[in-house]
Amino acid sequence: MASAANLNAVRETMDVLMEISRLLNTGLDMESLSICVRLCEQGINPEALSSVIKELRRASDTLKASENSAS
């Protein structure tokens, strides 16, 4: 029974984190948010993780823009 309660607590926590993520307009889906949480739990610096995500988004946007202009 304790594991069911633990699972419910984890789900509730992730739901709250997802709502905060939406309010902050992070653009993260549940899977991405879960990965970020797991990385932070493993000791990754949250600010560094945020910087990496921002840089990856910039690079992705630049790549998409260059693909669109080449078409």
Side-chain angles (χ1 to χ4, degrees), residues 63-71:
L63 183 60
K64 286 177 186 174
S66 67
E67 288 175 351
N68 288 337
S69 65
S71 298

Side-chain angles (χ1 to χ4, degrees), residues 12-61:
E12 186 176 322
T13 299
M14 285 307 299
D15 288 343
V16 169
L17 288 173
M18 190 70 216
E19 185 60 29
I20 292 170
S21 176
R22 284 188 196 122
L23 289 171
L24 294 174
N25 198 26
T26 64
L28 296 173
D29 59 16
M30 184 60 91
E31 181 181 8
S32 299
L33 182 61
S34 295
I35 291 168
C36 290
V37 168
R38 279 185 263 146
L39 287 170
C40 290
E41 287 174 343
Q42 294 296 316
I44 299 294
N45 182 314
E47 290 181 36
L49 181 57
S50 172
S51 295
V52 169
I53 291 169
K54 288 178 189 176
E55 185 58 33
L56 288 171
R57 284 184 176 164
R58 277 189 222 113
S60 176
D61 290 345

